[in-house]
Amino acid sequence: MNRKNALIAVLALALLAGCAHRYESLDRAKKNYESAAADPEVAKNAPVALHEARQSLTAAEKAARERGAAREVDHLSYLAEKKVEIARNQSSQKRNEEELGRINQDRQSILIDARTREARDANARAAELENRAKTAEAQSAQSSQKLADIQRQLDDMKAAETEFGTQVTLKDMMFETGKAELTPGGVRNVEKLAGIINKNPGQEVLIEGHTDSTGSAALNQRLSERRAETVKGLLTQGGVPADKVTTRGYGKNFPVASNGNSAGRQQNRRVEVTILNEGKSGKDVERKSGNM
Amino acid sequence: MMTQRNFLILACGTIAIGCMRQSPPTDLMAKAEVSVREVEQTETAQAAPLEVRTAREKLDQAKEAMGGKKYGTAKMMAEQAIVDAEAAKTKTQADKTQRTNDEVKKSMETLRRETQRPGVPSDAAPVRRPH
């Protein structure tokens, strides 16, 4: 083989080698690029960076086709790979920024919701309180009206509101001295009371008899009970249902005035008739202490 | 007939593009200098120290090649230094926003929980984006 032929052979081999030569770096760069380009998020968020990567890849492929030096192909493939990485980073950055924006919106919504709820709750509470106040006012107006009406009809009997209902006090004067019988005036008053009670059908009545401290406890106990029963008898005669009336005698146990003087003792000798509030029964009320 | 000169040119063209005459890539070198300095002086240096050092080393190699008039090599090293710096920078930023988002999401959960009970926090300023 002469020198010329040897040269041709070498060149031919070089050409062949160039054709068949695979550049690992290029293959890798190509795969990286293709996977990034196929990712819709990257394509959307970093198109420019992706394009630059493509350009480097194209240059690398061109160098490979033209059988360029491995160093050149490797270099261009490296650039392509790095540019793909840059595109991915930019894409993540953009995605994170968008997510942060959404989170901020969520935050605003949550705060607005909470504020709205808070305001609504406050309004509801205020409305409820106002309602209650109005109802209480109305009820109070109603009961003071009722009380005024009752008081008007019972000239010499004291009427008052207690926690249990409307209480009418039958003074000692309405009874015969030391007895359980009512005087004619007392009878008239109790009949008037019956009329008032009948205006509130369904509401129960509690009759409580009290005495002063003169005499024995047993005697006073008995007297107070009998006086309460006398009043009940007259009320039922007046049309008040018997099962709605409860009687009790407390003797001298619950004075309202001092037993040391005559006037006080007279005050203590009394019978209290309570038109109980709706829903209350005489059986529920039992005095156990000195409290009225 | 192949002369020796022709053969040399052909060989150069086939085997090593780098051996062809090129002009000094001064603009590229300047750009590389700026890129590498930037990542060295910002948070990227702490967040991605290895990548930043690689970029610096390649820049140094490019400068050396420039001194030896090996402009092909200088160009390659400078180009690589630039993409290395850029990759490090973008990665640092992406990681930072990811961490911010994670923290914000956590505080959102707390906010959600707390607004179920009475006593809502009054601060309504949005979270600042990192820049």
mmCIF file of all heavy atoms in Angstrom, chain A residues 106-143:
data_model
loop_
_atom_site.group_PDB
_atom_site.id
_atom_site.type_symbol
_atom_site.label_atom_id
_atom_site.label_comp_id
_atom_site.label_asym_id
_atom_site.label_seq_id
_atom_site.Cartn_x
_atom_site.Cartn_y
_atom_site.Cartn_z
ATOM 1 N N ASP A 106 -56.681 32.434 49.506
ATOM 2 C CA ASP A 106 -57.353 31.578 50.487
ATOM 3 C C ASP A 106 -57.357 32.241 51.852
ATOM 4 O O ASP A 106 -58.360 32.247 52.552
ATOM 5 C CB ASP A 106 -56.624 30.229 50.618
ATOM 6 C CG ASP A 106 -56.991 29.294 49.487
ATOM 7 O OD1 ASP A 106 -57.859 29.665 48.691
ATOM 8 O OD2 ASP A 106 -56.399 28.209 49.408
ATOM 9 N N ARG A 107 -56.186 32.769 52.206
ATOM 10 C CA ARG A 107 -56.042 33.418 53.502
ATOM 11 C C ARG A 107 -57.052 34.548 53.628
ATOM 12 O O ARG A 107 -57.746 34.654 54.647
ATOM 13 C CB ARG A 107 -54.631 33.972 53.612
ATOM 14 C CG ARG A 107 -54.255 34.433 54.984
ATOM 15 C CD ARG A 107 -52.766 34.721 55.004
ATOM 16 N NE ARG A 107 -52.307 35.045 56.314
ATOM 17 C CZ ARG A 107 -52.364 36.260 56.843
ATOM 18 N NH1 ARG A 107 -52.851 37.240 56.148
ATOM 19 N NH2 ARG A 107 -51.936 36.477 58.060
ATOM 20 N N GLN A 108 -57.146 35.372 52.583
ATOM 21 C CA GLN A 108 -58.110 36.467 52.603
ATOM 22 C C GLN A 108 -59.517 35.928 52.751
ATOM 23 O O GLN A 108 -60.311 36.455 53.536
ATOM 24 C CB GLN A 108 -58.016 37.292 51.315
ATOM 25 C CG GLN A 108 -56.686 37.999 51.118
ATOM 26 C CD GLN A 108 -56.449 39.117 52.115
ATOM 27 O OE1 GLN A 108 -56.657 38.979 53.299
ATOM 28 N NE2 GLN A 108 -56.004 40.244 51.608
ATOM 29 N N SER A 109 -59.836 34.869 51.980
ATOM 30 C CA SER A 109 -61.183 34.314 52.068
ATOM 31 C C SER A 109 -61.497 33.832 53.468
ATOM 32 O O SER A 109 -62.573 34.078 53.990
ATOM 33 C CB SER A 109 -61.354 33.117 51.126
ATOM 34 O OG SER A 109 -60.997 33.496 49.838
ATOM 35 N N ILE A 110 -60.540 33.122 54.054
ATOM 36 C CA ILE A 110 -60.770 32.593 55.400
ATOM 37 C C ILE A 110 -61.030 33.724 56.370
ATOM 38 O O ILE A 110 -61.965 33.665 57.174
ATOM 39 C CB ILE A 110 -59.568 31.763 55.889
ATOM 40 C CG1 ILE A 110 -59.480 30.479 55.095
ATOM 41 C CG2 ILE A 110 -59.692 31.460 57.373
ATOM 42 C CD1 ILE A 110 -58.342 29.594 55.522
ATOM 43 N N LEU A 111 -60.203 34.779 56.272
ATOM 44 C CA LEU A 111 -60.382 35.910 57.183
ATOM 45 C C LEU A 111 -61.730 36.576 56.947
ATOM 46 O O LEU A 111 -62.434 36.912 57.893
ATOM 47 C CB LEU A 111 -59.255 36.924 57.011
ATOM 48 C CG LEU A 111 -57.921 36.511 57.606
ATOM 49 C CD1 LEU A 111 -56.858 37.522 57.273
ATOM 50 C CD2 LEU A 111 -58.026 36.337 59.110
ATOM 51 N N ILE A 112 -62.086 36.735 55.671
ATOM 52 C CA ILE A 112 -63.370 37.371 55.364
ATOM 53 C C ILE A 112 -64.505 36.520 55.893
ATOM 54 O O ILE A 112 -65.431 37.021 56.535
ATOM 55 C CB ILE A 112 -63.520 37.590 53.840
ATOM 56 C CG1 ILE A 112 -62.591 38.728 53.415
ATOM 57 C CG2 ILE A 112 -64.962 37.935 53.487
ATOM 58 C CD1 ILE A 112 -62.522 38.922 51.930
ATOM 59 N N ASP A 113 -64.417 35.194 55.637
ATOM 60 C CA ASP A 113 -65.456 34.294 56.148
ATOM 61 C C ASP A 113 -65.595 34.422 57.645
ATOM 62 O O ASP A 113 -66.696 34.523 58.170
ATOM 63 C CB ASP A 113 -65.079 32.836 55.838
ATOM 64 C CG ASP A 113 -65.479 32.486 54.424
ATOM 65 O OD1 ASP A 113 -66.164 33.314 53.788
ATOM 66 O OD2 ASP A 113 -65.106 31.403 53.962
ATOM 67 N N ALA A 114 -64.449 34.385 58.319
ATOM 68 C CA ALA A 114 -64.479 34.444 59.780
ATOM 69 C C ALA A 114 -65.083 35.760 60.249
ATOM 70 O O ALA A 114 -65.885 35.780 61.177
ATOM 71 C CB ALA A 114 -63.072 34.273 60.335
ATOM 72 N N ARG A 115 -64.686 36.852 59.591
ATOM 73 C CA ARG A 115 -65.231 38.157 59.968
ATOM 74 C C ARG A 115 -66.733 38.193 59.765
ATOM 75 O O ARG A 115 -67.478 38.680 60.599
ATOM 76 C CB ARG A 115 -64.627 39.271 59.106
ATOM 77 C CG ARG A 115 -63.211 39.473 59.346
ATOM 78 C CD ARG A 115 -62.940 40.630 60.274
ATOM 79 N NE ARG A 115 -61.544 40.571 60.639
ATOM 80 C CZ ARG A 115 -60.555 40.915 59.837
ATOM 81 N NH1 ARG A 115 -60.831 41.389 58.642
ATOM 82 N NH2 ARG A 115 -59.308 40.779 60.220
ATOM 83 N N THR A 116 -67.148 37.659 58.590
ATOM 84 C CA THR A 116 -68.577 37.667 58.282
ATOM 85 C C THR A 116 -69.335 36.872 59.320
ATOM 86 O O THR A 116 -70.366 37.299 59.835
ATOM 87 C CB THR A 116 -68.837 37.041 56.898
ATOM 88 O OG1 THR A 116 -67.966 37.662 55.961
ATOM 89 C CG2 THR A 116 -70.271 37.242 56.470
ATOM 90 N N ARG A 117 -68.777 35.689 59.621
ATOM 91 C CA ARG A 117 -69.428 34.835 60.616
ATOM 92 C C ARG A 117 -69.495 35.543 61.947
ATOM 93 O O ARG A 117 -70.524 35.534 62.623
ATOM 94 C CB ARG A 117 -68.655 33.524 60.777
ATOM 95 C CG ARG A 117 -69.539 32.322 60.541
ATOM 96 C CD ARG A 117 -68.798 31.037 60.769
ATOM 97 N NE ARG A 117 -67.621 30.920 59.970
ATOM 98 C CZ ARG A 117 -66.417 30.555 60.445
ATOM 99 N NH1 ARG A 117 -66.272 30.257 61.709
ATOM 100 N NH2 ARG A 117 -65.373 30.476 59.657
ATOM 101 N N GLU A 118 -68.386 36.170 62.301
ATOM 102 C CA GLU A 118 -68.305 36.896 63.567
ATOM 103 C C GLU A 118 -69.362 37.981 63.614
ATOM 104 O O GLU A 118 -70.086 38.119 64.599
ATOM 105 C CB GLU A 118 -66.918 37.528 63.687
ATOM 106 C CG GLU A 118 -66.448 37.634 65.102
ATOM 107 C CD GLU A 118 -65.104 38.349 65.150
ATOM 108 O OE1 GLU A 118 -64.943 39.338 64.418
ATOM 109 O OE2 GLU A 118 -64.249 37.903 65.912
ATOM 110 N N ALA A 119 -69.439 38.743 62.531
ATOM 111 C CA ALA A 119 -70.404 39.844 62.475
ATOM 112 C C ALA A 119 -71.822 39.299 62.551
ATOM 113 O O ALA A 119 -72.668 39.820 63.270
ATOM 114 C CB ALA A 119 -70.217 40.640 61.187
ATOM 115 N N ARG A 120 -72.045 38.201 61.791
ATOM 116 C CA ARG A 120 -73.390 37.607 61.802
ATOM 117 C C ARG A 120 -73.756 37.139 63.195
ATOM 118 O O ARG A 120 -74.849 37.390 63.677
ATOM 119 C CB ARG A 120 -73.430 36.416 60.842
ATOM 120 C CG ARG A 120 -74.304 36.628 59.640
ATOM 121 C CD ARG A 120 -74.855 35.333 59.117
ATOM 122 N NE ARG A 120 -73.966 34.236 59.262
ATOM 123 C CZ ARG A 120 -73.188 33.750 58.295
ATOM 124 N NH1 ARG A 120 -73.208 34.297 57.105
ATOM 125 N NH2 ARG A 120 -72.383 32.740 58.510
ATOM 126 N N ASP A 121 -72.796 36.449 63.837
ATOM 127 C CA ASP A 121 -73.040 35.962 65.199
ATOM 128 C C ASP A 121 -73.318 37.122 66.146
ATOM 129 O O ASP A 121 -74.230 37.049 66.969
ATOM 130 C CB ASP A 121 -71.817 35.188 65.715
ATOM 131 C CG ASP A 121 -71.714 33.836 65.048
ATOM 132 O OD1 ASP A 121 -72.671 33.446 64.357
ATOM 133 O OD2 ASP A 121 -70.671 33.166 65.215
ATOM 134 N N ALA A 122 -72.510 38.174 66.025
ATOM 135 C CA ALA A 122 -72.702 39.332 66.901
ATOM 136 C C ALA A 122 -74.086 39.931 66.666
ATOM 137 O O ALA A 122 -74.799 40.262 67.620
ATOM 138 C CB ALA A 122 -71.621 40.371 66.630
ATOM 139 N N ASN A 123 -74.448 40.055 65.396
ATOM 140 C CA ASN A 123 -75.780 40.589 65.082
ATOM 141 C C ASN A 123 -76.877 39.719 65.654
ATOM 142 O O ASN A 123 -77.847 40.217 66.233
ATOM 143 C CB ASN A 123 -75.960 40.687 63.564
ATOM 144 C CG ASN A 123 -75.359 41.956 63.019
ATOM 145 O OD1 ASN A 123 -74.986 42.835 63.779
ATOM 146 N ND2 ASN A 123 -75.262 42.040 61.715
ATOM 147 N N ALA A 124 -76.710 38.403 65.480
ATOM 148 C CA ALA A 124 -77.718 37.473 65.976
ATOM 149 C C ALA A 124 -77.850 37.594 67.496
ATOM 150 O O ALA A 124 -78.953 37.637 68.036
ATOM 151 C CB ALA A 124 -77.363 36.046 65.589
ATOM 152 N N ARG A 125 -76.679 37.677 68.153
ATOM 153 C CA ARG A 125 -76.704 37.804 69.619
ATOM 154 C C ARG A 125 -77.399 39.090 70.030
ATOM 155 O O ARG A 125 -78.219 39.106 70.947
ATOM 156 C CB ARG A 125 -75.281 37.800 70.188
ATOM 157 C CG ARG A 125 -74.752 36.410 70.446
ATOM 158 C CD ARG A 125 -73.561 36.454 71.371
ATOM 159 N NE ARG A 125 -72.484 37.276 70.866
ATOM 160 C CZ ARG A 125 -71.529 36.853 70.029
ATOM 161 N NH1 ARG A 125 -71.538 35.608 69.633
ATOM 162 N NH2 ARG A 125 -70.582 37.669 69.615
ATOM 163 N N ALA A 126 -77.055 40.158 69.327
ATOM 164 C CA ALA A 126 -77.662 41.459 69.649
ATOM 165 C C ALA A 126 -79.163 41.408 69.434
ATOM 166 O O ALA A 126 -79.938 41.882 70.278
ATOM 167 C CB ALA A 126 -77.039 42.556 68.780
ATOM 168 N N ALA A 127 -79.573 40.805 68.327
ATOM 169 C CA ALA A 127 -81.006 40.711 68.039
ATOM 170 C C ALA A 127 -81.709 39.898 69.116
ATOM 171 O O ALA A 127 -82.790 40.257 69.588
ATOM 172 C CB ALA A 127 -81.219 40.072 66.671
ATOM 173 N N GLU A 128 -81.067 38.800 69.514
ATOM 174 C CA GLU A 128 -81.640 37.932 70.544
ATOM 175 C C GLU A 128 -81.788 38.691 71.857
ATOM 176 O O GLU A 128 -82.835 38.631 72.509
ATOM 177 C CB GLU A 128 -80.705 36.728 70.734
ATOM 178 C CG GLU A 128 -80.856 36.035 72.077
ATOM 179 C CD GLU A 128 -81.395 34.638 71.941
ATOM 180 O OE1 GLU A 128 -81.268 34.083 70.834
ATOM 181 O OE2 GLU A 128 -81.946 34.112 72.912
ATOM 182 N N LEU A 129 -80.745 39.402 72.240
ATOM 183 C CA LEU A 129 -80.791 40.168 73.484
ATOM 184 C C LEU A 129 -81.901 41.212 73.436
ATOM 185 O O LEU A 129 -82.642 41.408 74.407
ATOM 186 C CB LEU A 129 -79.442 40.846 73.745
ATOM 187 C CG LEU A 129 -78.324 39.917 74.199
ATOM 188 C CD1 LEU A 129 -77.002 40.657 74.247
ATOM 189 C CD2 LEU A 129 -78.643 39.328 75.553
ATOM 190 N N GLU A 130 -82.009 41.847 72.274
ATOM 191 C CA GLU A 130 -83.044 42.869 72.122
ATOM 192 C C GLU A 130 -84.417 42.244 72.279
ATOM 193 O O GLU A 130 -85.286 42.780 72.966
ATOM 194 C CB GLU A 130 -82.914 43.523 70.756
ATOM 195 C CG GLU A 130 -83.438 44.937 70.749
ATOM 196 C CD GLU A 130 -83.300 45.541 69.372
ATOM 197 O OE1 GLU A 130 -82.183 45.515 68.849
ATOM 198 O OE2 GLU A 130 -84.319 46.003 68.851
ATOM 199 N N ASN A 131 -84.583 41.093 71.639
ATOM 200 C CA ASN A 131 -85.845 40.359 71.746
ATOM 201 C C ASN A 131 -86.196 40.062 73.189
ATOM 202 O O ASN A 131 -87.317 40.286 73.641
ATOM 203 C CB ASN A 131 -85.730 39.035 70.997
ATOM 204 C CG ASN A 131 -86.449 39.113 69.677
ATOM 205 O OD1 ASN A 131 -87.034 40.137 69.353
ATOM 206 N ND2 ASN A 131 -86.401 38.038 68.920
ATOM 207 N N ARG A 132 -85.195 39.523 73.890
ATOM 208 C CA ARG A 132 -85.424 39.149 75.289
ATOM 209 C C ARG A 132 -85.810 40.365 76.114
ATOM 210 O O ARG A 132 -86.704 40.311 76.951
ATOM 211 C CB ARG A 132 -84.154 38.535 75.872
ATOM 212 C CG ARG A 132 -83.958 37.139 75.394
ATOM 213 C CD ARG A 132 -83.096 36.376 76.358
ATOM 214 N NE ARG A 132 -82.278 35.427 75.637
ATOM 215 C CZ ARG A 132 -81.072 35.038 76.016
ATOM 216 N NH1 ARG A 132 -80.531 35.557 77.100
ATOM 217 N NH2 ARG A 132 -80.406 34.167 75.304
ATOM 218 N N ALA A 133 -85.078 41.469 75.858
ATOM 219 C CA ALA A 133 -85.370 42.698 76.602
ATOM 220 C C ALA A 133 -86.798 43.132 76.326
ATOM 221 O O ALA A 133 -87.539 43.483 77.243
ATOM 222 C CB ALA A 133 -84.388 43.791 76.206
ATOM 223 N N LYS A 134 -87.188 43.083 75.062
ATOM 224 C CA LYS A 134 -88.543 43.505 74.703
ATOM 225 C C LYS A 134 -89.583 42.609 75.360
ATOM 226 O O LYS A 134 -90.579 43.100 75.898
ATOM 227 C CB LYS A 134 -88.715 43.450 73.183
ATOM 228 C CG LYS A 134 -88.134 44.646 72.486
ATOM 229 C CD LYS A 134 -88.717 44.808 71.079
ATOM 230 C CE LYS A 134 -87.918 45.869 70.334
ATOM 231 N NZ LYS A 134 -87.697 45.523 68.930
ATOM 232 N N THR A 135 -89.319 41.285 75.310
ATOM 233 C CA THR A 135 -90.247 40.344 75.917
ATOM 234 C C THR A 135 -90.366 40.600 77.412
ATOM 235 O O THR A 135 -91.472 40.649 77.951
ATOM 236 C CB THR A 135 -89.783 38.893 75.697
ATOM 237 O OG1 THR A 135 -89.475 38.722 74.325
ATOM 238 C CG2 THR A 135 -90.844 37.906 76.109
ATOM 239 N N ALA A 136 -89.218 40.766 78.058
ATOM 240 C CA ALA A 136 -89.231 41.006 79.505
ATOM 241 C C ALA A 136 -90.001 42.288 79.818
ATOM 242 O O ALA A 136 -90.810 42.327 80.740
ATOM 243 C CB ALA A 136 -87.801 41.105 80.019
ATOM 244 N N GLU A 137 -89.745 43.291 78.997
ATOM 245 C CA GLU A 137 -90.443 44.572 79.172
ATOM 246 C C GLU A 137 -91.935 44.380 79.044
ATOM 247 O O GLU A 137 -92.715 44.864 79.869
ATOM 248 C CB GLU A 137 -89.965 45.531 78.083
ATOM 249 C CG GLU A 137 -89.594 46.902 78.584
ATOM 250 C CD GLU A 137 -89.110 47.769 77.431
ATOM 251 O OE1 GLU A 137 -87.939 47.644 77.062
ATOM 252 O OE2 GLU A 137 -89.937 48.520 76.906
ATOM 253 N N ALA A 138 -92.328 43.666 77.991
ATOM 254 C CA ALA A 138 -93.754 43.424 77.754
ATOM 255 C C ALA A 138 -94.370 42.652 78.910
ATOM 256 O O ALA A 138 -95.443 42.994 79.400
ATOM 257 C CB ALA A 138 -93.936 42.673 76.441
ATOM 258 N N GLN A 139 -93.654 41.611 79.323
ATOM 259 C CA GLN A 139 -94.162 40.800 80.424
ATOM 260 C C GLN A 139 -94.313 41.629 81.689
ATOM 261 O O GLN A 139 -95.321 41.537 82.389
ATOM 262 C CB GLN A 139 -93.209 39.626 80.716
ATOM 263 C CG GLN A 139 -93.424 38.457 79.814
ATOM 264 C CD GLN A 139 -92.410 37.373 80.049
ATOM 265 O OE1 GLN A 139 -91.411 37.579 80.735
ATOM 266 N NE2 GLN A 139 -92.652 36.217 79.477
ATOM 267 N N SER A 140 -93.296 42.423 81.943
ATOM 268 C CA SER A 140 -93.339 43.257 83.144
ATOM 269 C C SER A 140 -94.500 44.250 83.067
ATOM 270 O O SER A 140 -95.215 44.465 84.050
ATOM 271 C CB SER A 140 -92.003 43.974 83.302
ATOM 272 O OG SER A 140 -92.188 45.212 83.892
ATOM 273 N N ALA A 141 -94.672 44.827 81.884
ATOM 274 C CA ALA A 141 -95.780 45.767 81.709
ATOM 275 C C ALA A 141 -97.108 45.051 81.949
ATOM 276 O O ALA A 141 -97.989 45.551 82.639
ATOM 277 C CB ALA A 141 -95.735 46.361 80.311
ATOM 278 N N GLN A 142 -97.187 43.860 81.346
ATOM 279 C CA GLN A 142 -98.404 43.060 81.497
ATOM 280 C C GLN A 142 -98.708 42.776 82.960
ATOM 281 O O GLN A 142 -99.823 42.952 83.435
ATOM 282 C CB GLN A 142 -98.223 41.726 80.772
ATOM 283 C CG GLN A 142 -99.241 41.486 79.710
ATOM 284 C CD GLN A 142 -98.972 40.167 79.022
ATOM 285 O OE1 GLN A 142 -98.367 39.283 79.601
ATOM 286 N NE2 GLN A 142 -99.424 40.043 77.808
ATOM 287 N N SER A 143 -97.673 42.299 83.690
ATOM 288 C CA SER A 143 -97.933 41.897 85.065
ATOM 289 C C SER A 143 -98.211 43.099 85.961
ATOM 290 O O SER A 143 -99.014 43.004 86.889
ATOM 291 C CB SER A 143 -96.789 41.052 85.620
ATOM 292 O OG SER A 143 -95.592 41.775 85.523
#
